């Protein structure tokens, strides 16, 4: 077996995960729970993970909640069931801890849309601007950022900046446009986007609204403006979840990655949820990066403590300042 592990480790960079066979009779949930205790590990999972992973995680949340957990956990190992930038953020907040990601190729189309070297040139054109970056970006981009934000705290972050201070907002142009509309600030926007949130069809959503006239249409601010304009509620992933609990509606059309619907159904037995349809016949409203993580990969990464997220010290030291500033503003706002 050691030869197989050695080969899998050698192929880790190319494959992204430990390509080892897992006994199909193994009770993966029981094994993962055993490993959590043995390794003093905590599993942080995003709402967009498959339901099995959500059910075994110690904490399920959106980017802000996951960042807060990564900063405060006393576990020795953080296992991040999410995408690469989330695990990088955890490493920056807890550099002394081992941070594992089940599949290194669980990337992010939005983070990829803003390469740090290209953004650095863009930033040079606006020397008097400060940079606010959505946390869905690479660790290197965070080194070029003054304050990070999430969709939960974005308005609070923008409102905390003096009105006469010009701002560059990166990388999500749709979230940026929504913030311009909500805050009245004239920001310079980087033209990046999330493949999942750009795929929703106005025509198909309208037909779904007609088919379910009692349903509330709720959307994430990463969606395009023509989708947000017809929404009954726009908010972060956690805000959408809260709205389904607290509002008087019993039916919801949900325009974000459909992984969140698992938590919505658990929190709201008896209520109905319909994923907003994409503008073609594929399942493009599912994030292919989030779905790269599986129970098998989660088990293997905990068993062998690989793949591990490692970052240069200068990236951690310089980049974490933008996250710390975000967490300070969020705490002051009671988030």
């Amino acid at each position: 077996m050691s030869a197989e592990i050695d080969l899998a480790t050698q192929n880790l960079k190319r494959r992204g995960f430990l390509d080892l066979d897992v006994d199909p009779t193994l009770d993966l949930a029981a094994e993962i729970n055993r490993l959590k205790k043995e390794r003093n590990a905590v599993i942080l999972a995003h709402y967009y993970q498959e339901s099995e992973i959500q059910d075994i995680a110690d904490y399920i949340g959106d980017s802000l909640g996951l960042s807060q957990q990564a900063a405060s956990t006393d576990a020795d190992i953080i296992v991040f069931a999410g995408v690469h930038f989330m695990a990088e953020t955890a490493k920056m907040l807890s550099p002394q801890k081992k941070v594992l990601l089940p599949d290194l190729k669980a990337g992010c189309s939005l983070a990829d849309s803003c390469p740090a070297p290209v953004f650095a040139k863009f930033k040079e054109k606006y020397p008097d601007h400060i940079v606010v970056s959505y946390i869905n970006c690479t660790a290197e981009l965070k080194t070029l950022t003054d304050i990070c934000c999430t969709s939960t705290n974005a308005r609070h972050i923008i409102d905390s900046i003096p009105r006469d201070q010009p701002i560059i907002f990166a990388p999500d142009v749709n979230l940026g446009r929504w913030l311009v509309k909500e805050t009245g600030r004239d920001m310079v926007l980087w033209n990046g986007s999330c493949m999942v949130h750009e795929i929703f069809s106005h025509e198909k959503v309208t037909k779904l609204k007609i088919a379910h006239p009692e349903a509330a249409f709720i959307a994430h601010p990463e969606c395009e403006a023509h989708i947000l304009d017809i929404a009954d509620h726009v908010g972060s992933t956690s805000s959408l979840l809260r709205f389904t609990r607290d509002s008087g509606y019993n039916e919801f059309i949900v325009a974000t990655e459909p992984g969140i619907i698992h938590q919505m159904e658990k929190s709201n037995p008896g209520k109905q949820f319909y994923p907003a349809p994409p503008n073609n016949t594929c399942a493009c409203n599912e994030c292919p990066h989030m779905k790269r993580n599986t129970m098998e990969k989660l088990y293997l990464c905990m068993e062998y403590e690989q793949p591990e997220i490692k970052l240069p010290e200068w990236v951690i030291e310089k980049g974490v300042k933008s996250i710390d500033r975000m967490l300070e503003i969020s705490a002051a706002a009671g988030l």
Side-chain angles (χ1 to χ4, degrees):
M1 186 64 181
S2 61
E4 292 174 27
I5 295 166
D6 289 344
L7 181 60
T9 303
Q10 289 170 26
N11 290 332
L12 198 53
K13 193 170 183 180
R14 181 174 60 85
R15 298 282 292 167
F17 63 97
L18 288 172
D19 191 11
L20 294 166
D21 290 331
V22 176
D23 182 350
T25 65
L26 209 59
D27 183 340
L28 290 175
E31 289 298 308
I32 289 167
N33 280 322
R34 172 183 64 81
L35 289 165
K36 277 199 288 188
K37 290 176 185 173
E38 288 181 6
R39 308 279 197 264
N40 188 24
V42 63
I43 299 175
L44 307 182
H46 194 273
Y47 286 126
Y48 298 169
Q49 292 294 291
E50 64 177 54
S51 57
E52 279 186 300
I53 291 177
Q54 291 187 41
D55 289 343
I56 203 164
D58 297 288
Y59 178 83
I60 311 152
D62 60 7
S63 293
L64 176 60
L66 291 167
S67 298
Q68 291 166 330
Q69 289 292 317
S72 62
T73 182
D74 58 2
D76 295 320
I77 297 175
I78 298 172
V79 186
F80 222 111
V83 293
H84 206 277
F85 79 80
M86 295 176 176
E88 285 182 335
T89 301
K91 185 64 178 177
M92 294 162 88
L93 287 166
S94 294
Q96 75 285 3
K97 298 184 187 300
K98 181 176 280 191
V99 177
L100 306 176
L101 182 67
D103 192 329
L104 292 174
K105 293 191 183 294
C108 172
S109 58
L110 178 55
D112 291 345
S113 73
C114 193
V118 182
F119 182 78
K121 294 290 184 186
F122 177 80
K123 182 181 174 182
E124 286 173 5
K125 295 191 289 185
Y126 305 96
D128 59 336
H129 287 50
I130 71 167
V131 177
V132 176
S133 290
Y134 191 27
I135 202 164
N136 300 33
C137 64
T138 64
E140 197 174 343
L141 191 73
K142 289 179 175 72
T143 68
L144 301 168
T145 297
D146 296 291
I147 316 173
C148 273
C149 75
T150 70
S151 50
T152 298
N153 60 26
R155 280 199 64 174
H156 292 87
I157 299 296
I158 299 302
D159 287 341
S160 75
I161 298 167
R163 292 198 74 84
D164 60 350
Q165 170 62 59
I167 301 168
I168 298 171
F169 186 84
D172 191 282
V173 71
N174 294 318
L175 179 57
R177 286 171 182 153
W178 181 74
L179 287 167
V180 167
K181 184 178 175 183
E182 292 292 306
T183 65
R185 300 292 285 268
D186 183 20
M187 300 188 290
V188 174
L189 305 180
W190 176 268
N191 191 25
S193 62
C194 163
M195 62 186 281
V196 170
H197 290 96
E198 285 231 307
I199 203 77
F200 294 112
S201 162
H202 187 287
E203 180 187 356
K204 290 183 180 179
V205 167
T206 301
K207 286 180 179 177
L208 201 53
K209 281 165 69 76
I210 292 168
H212 303 282
E214 300 301 313
F217 176 50
I218 60 177
H220 193 282
E222 285 181 48
C223 294
E224 293 179 298
H226 66 90
I227 295 293
L228 300 180
D229 287 345
I230 60 172
D232 297 297
H233 177 73
V234 177
S236 66
T237 319
S238 57
S239 172
L240 299 181
L241 180 56
R242 241 185 345 265
F243 184 80
T244 64
R245 290 193 198 120
D246 299 343
S247 73
Y249 291 94
N250 289 311
E251 295 180 83
F252 301 87
I253 299 165
V254 184
T256 190
E257 214 279 354
I260 183 62
I261 290 177
H262 178 61
Q263 291 301 318
M264 289 177 174
E265 289 174 339
K266 285 177 72 174
S267 300
N268 300 281
K271 294 186 180 182
Q272 294 295 313
F273 299 92
Y274 313 105
N279 59 11
N280 51 29
T281 56
C282 75
C284 301
N285 56 336
E286 286 200 354
C287 176
H289 301 291
M290 286 282 187
K291 297 303 191 278
R292 289 188 73 96
N293 296 318
T294 63
M295 288 286 282
E296 287 79 10
K297 290 177 184 176
L298 181 59
Y299 161 71
L300 287 168
C301 96
M302 293 181 71
E303 176 69 30
Y304 300 106
E305 298 186 14
Q306 295 186 78
E308 181 181 357
I309 296 293
K310 295 184 179 180
L311 292 170
E313 282 187 25
W314 74 269
V315 169
I316 294 174
E317 189 177 336
K318 196 170 181 185
V320 76
K321 294 174 184 174
S322 64
I323 309 170
D324 286 340
R325 186 76 190 105
M326 174 191 79
L327 293 175
E328 287 168 14
I329 295 168
S330 297
L335 298 174

